[in-house]
């Protein structure tokens, strides 16, 4: 785990400003504290056994209340997808274990992330923070912006970098800020209160605008080599599905599209009474490229498949392109997408969707 380091003087400066604002805007801060109490009371009542005994309506309410769900207009559609992809009982059992089991959070985090599809670090950390606000930090883009501003080292820029050990480290960072909140006399110094502090006080304009800047190529390659390729693969796969859903496709992951071809992600759309059009995506992080080529080639046996896309880093895409040139039925149909671009597109569409959904133009029950 990285050693904890941050700009303490900068932190103390903003803590003083935060305390001053809390006195000037006492009504707002009191409302925020009541909101946190209601949040933790609701999620805290879901013990290990109660989570396992949830019915579908209870699970929907449990997940739909999360701030991480605000990016979705139709929450029922998204939550139904999560249940379908994981299985109702498997999802509940995994949630109960990651929250309530007593082994190290780093281990629990990695087990959950390797088993459960559709629930990323933002949703998972929010569930943990809402249930155990003294132990776990809520991690999302705003938390990255705030802690980056405080010059905290070794922050995960993308979800695939956030394994269990990294999340454990982030919780320690949050606890260090919590201790400072307590020391200056702020009434609520839970890690959920730390999240409110990060949101209210540390969203500095230059950091918000710089978050979409591309990662330098050398740093990007070093990050990929240092991380578990399975987490990278699953993160990219899930984000391709999200992008498809935001663009209006019926998007899903790990689908069989033809005999012998089970692909990482598809975007599907029905055109009137003419039938379906399917776009296929395969993510390559390690392993033999010829198996990817064969899988994409088999997927073209489905006449609805109108496009096939290989997703990887620049070097591997060049290798894929060279091998695909020798495959007549594939070379003119295969498209190439760098994984870094997938992450940037996802971030941009996530921002757009969250802002549009905040307008509440369409009732959720529509």
């Amino acid at each position: 785990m990285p050693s904890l380091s941050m700009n303490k003087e900068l932190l103390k400066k903003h803590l003083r400003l935060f305390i001053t604002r809390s006195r000037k805007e006492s009504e707002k801060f009191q409302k925020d504290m009541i909101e946190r109490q209601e949040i933790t009371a609701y999620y805290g009542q879901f013990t290990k056994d109660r989570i396992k005994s949830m019915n579908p309506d209870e699970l929907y309410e449990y997940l739909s209340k999360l701030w991480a769900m605000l990016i979705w207009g139709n929450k029922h559609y998204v939550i139904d997808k999560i249940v379908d992809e994981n299985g109702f009982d498997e999802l509940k059992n995994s949630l109960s274990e990651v929250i309530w089991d007593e082994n190290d959070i780093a281990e629990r985090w990695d087990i959950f992330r390797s088993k459960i599809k559709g629930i990323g670090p933002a949703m998972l950390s929010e569930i943990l923070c809402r249930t155990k606000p003294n132990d776990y930090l809520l991690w999302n883009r705003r938390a990255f912006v705030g802690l980056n501003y405080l010059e905290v080292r070794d922050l995960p820029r993308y979800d695939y970098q956030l394994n269990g050990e990294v999340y454990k480290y982030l919780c320690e960072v949050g606890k260090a800020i919590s201790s400072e909140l307590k020391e200056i006399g702020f009434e609520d110094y839970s890690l959920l209160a730390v999240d409110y502090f990060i949101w209210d006080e540390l969203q500095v304009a230059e950091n918000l605008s710089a978050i979409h800047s591309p990662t330098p190529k050398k740093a990007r390659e070093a990050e990929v080599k240092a991380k578990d390729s399975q987490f990278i693969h699953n993160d990219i796969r899930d984000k391709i599905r999200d992008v498809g859903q935001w663009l209006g496709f019926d998007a899903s992951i790990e689908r069989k599209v033809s005999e012998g071809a089970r692909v990482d992600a598809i975007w599907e759309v029905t055109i009137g009474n003419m039938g379906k059009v399917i776009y296929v995506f395969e993510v390559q992080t390690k392993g033999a490229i010829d198996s990817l080529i064969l899988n994409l080639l088999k997927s073209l046996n489905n006449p609805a498949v109108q496009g096939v896309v290989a997703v990887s880093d620049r070097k591997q895409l060049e290798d894929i392109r060279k091998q695909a040139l020798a495959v007549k039925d594939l070379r003119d149909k295969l498209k190439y997408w760098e994984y870094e671009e997938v992450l940037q597109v996802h971030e941009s569409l996530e921002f757009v969707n969250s802002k549009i959904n905040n307008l509440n133009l369409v009732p959720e029950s529509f």
Side-chain angles (χ1 to χ4, degrees):
M1 188 165 62
S3 58
L4 200 161
S5 175
M6 73 176 76
N7 188 327
K8 283 292 187 70
E9 289 306 311
L10 193 57
L11 173 61
K12 289 179 183 294
K13 168 190 169 183
H14 283 280
L15 286 170
R16 289 192 294 269
L17 292 171
F18 189 65
I19 285 290
T20 300
R21 285 183 52 232
S22 73
R23 292 165 182 158
K24 289 181 178 178
E25 304 172 23
S26 58
E27 186 175 337
K28 173 195 177 301
F29 276 73
Q30 186 64 29
K31 182 180 177 182
D32 287 347
M33 187 168 350
I34 293 171
E35 181 180 63
R36 290 194 294 272
Q37 290 170 349
E38 291 173 347
I39 287 170
T40 55
Y42 175 80
Y43 281 87
Q45 69 181 313
F46 286 93
T47 62
K48 188 169 188 176
D49 289 338
R50 185 168 178 187
I51 291 173
K52 290 182 177 181
S53 65
M54 280 182 182
N55 61 41
D57 289 339
E58 288 173 325
L59 180 62
Y60 170 77
E61 182 181 29
Y62 182 87
L63 295 177
S64 67
K65 287 178 177 288
L66 299 173
W67 293 317
M69 289 295 296
L70 292 175
I71 59 174
W72 300 105
N74 187 341
K75 296 182 178 64
H76 270 293
Y77 175 82
V78 176
I79 293 171
D80 287 347
K81 281 275 190 183
I82 293 173
V83 172
D84 289 343
E85 289 170 354
N86 296 288
F88 186 56
D89 290 335
E90 176 66 18
L91 177 58
K92 293 190 298 178
N93 289 337
S94 294
L95 280 170
S96 68
E97 289 164 5
V98 74
I99 298 168
W100 293 107
D101 277 7
E102 295 181 358
N103 51 322
D104 191 75
I105 183 57
E107 179 184 348
R108 284 182 278 143
W109 179 277
D110 285 343
I111 290 172
F112 184 92
R113 292 277 286 135
S114 65
K115 287 168 59 177
I116 299 300
K117 309 175 186 72
I119 295 182
M123 285 183 69
L124 178 55
S125 65
E126 187 177 346
I127 290 169
L128 288 166
C129 183
R130 284 172 174 237
T131 309
K132 295 186 175 183
N134 294 319
D135 298 325
Y136 301 121
L137 182 71
L138 196 162
W139 181 257
N140 53 26
R141 188 173 302 122
R142 293 283 182 159
F144 174 89
V145 168
L147 298 189
N148 187 55
Y149 172 66
L150 292 180
E151 301 173 14
V152 177
R153 296 185 302 186
D154 300 306
L155 295 176
R157 178 66 177 80
Y158 295 118
D159 287 353
Y160 71 77
Q161 300 165 325
L162 212 172
N163 61 25
E165 283 297 326
V166 173
Y167 180 64
K168 184 177 178 179
Y169 163 67
L170 294 173
C171 291
E172 292 304 313
V173 173
K175 289 173 185 176
I177 297 174
S178 168
S179 295
E180 297 289 340
L181 270 176
K182 181 180 180 181
E183 187 174 319
I184 63 171
F186 195 70
E187 186 175 351
D188 182 2
Y189 46 88
S190 68
L191 296 194
L192 187 55
V194 168
D195 180 72
Y196 278 66
F197 165 71
I198 290 171
W199 185 276
D200 286 346
E201 194 60 42
L202 302 181
Q203 301 307 298
V204 182
E206 55 265 30
N207 280 339
L208 283 169
S209 61
I211 194 168
H212 294 291
S213 300
T215 306
K217 186 174 184 294
K218 285 186 179 179
R220 190 167 70 228
E221 290 176 350
E223 290 165 358
V224 173
K225 290 175 183 175
K227 302 300 177 184
D228 182 351
S229 65
Q230 187 62 34
F231 283 115
I232 300 172
H233 175 278
N234 293 348
D235 183 31
I236 302 300
R237 175 202 63 193
D238 292 351
K239 283 178 168 48
I240 290 170
R241 176 205 50 209
D242 292 349
V243 169
Q245 289 177 351
W246 286 325
L247 293 176
F249 291 96
D250 182 9
S252 56
I253 60 175
E254 296 187 356
R255 282 281 299 275
K256 180 179 178 180
V257 294
S258 65
E259 192 60 37
R262 186 176 182 85
V263 298
D264 287 323
I266 69 166
W267 295 354
E268 183 175 326
V269 64
T270 301
I271 303 176
N273 61 357
M274 297 173 63
K276 294 180 179 179
V277 171
I278 297 173
Y279 302 100
V280 165
F281 299 82
E282 275 285 272
V283 180
Q284 178 77 6
T285 53
K286 70 173 184 176
I289 289 175
D290 54 359
S291 63
L292 175 140
I293 297 289
L294 181 59
N295 208 35
L296 289 174
L297 188 60
K298 287 180 178 178
S299 72
L300 289 169
N301 290 331
N302 182 339
V305 174
Q306 297 297 300
V308 290
V309 184
V311 182
S312 191
D313 58 59
R314 186 173 301 178
K315 182 180 183 302
Q316 289 194 87
L317 286 179
E318 283 302 315
D319 294 337
I320 293 168
R321 192 189 307 270
K322 290 175 184 176
Q323 291 199 33
L325 285 174
V327 184
K328 180 182 177 181
D329 293 334
L330 182 63
R331 64 190 177 201
D332 295 329
K333 297 180 180 179
L334 182 56
K335 311 297 180 184
Y336 306 90
W337 200 3
E338 282 194 53
Y339 83 91
E340 184 82 3
E341 291 180 353
V342 174
L343 297 172
Q344 291 171 1
V345 168
H346 185 275
E347 284 188 348
S348 298
L349 286 176
E350 182 180 45
F351 175 79
V352 169
N353 276 272
S354 65
K355 292 302 180 184
I356 291 174
N357 289 332
N358 284 342
L359 297 176
N360 294 316
L361 297 177
V362 180
E364 189 179 334
S365 59
F366 180 77

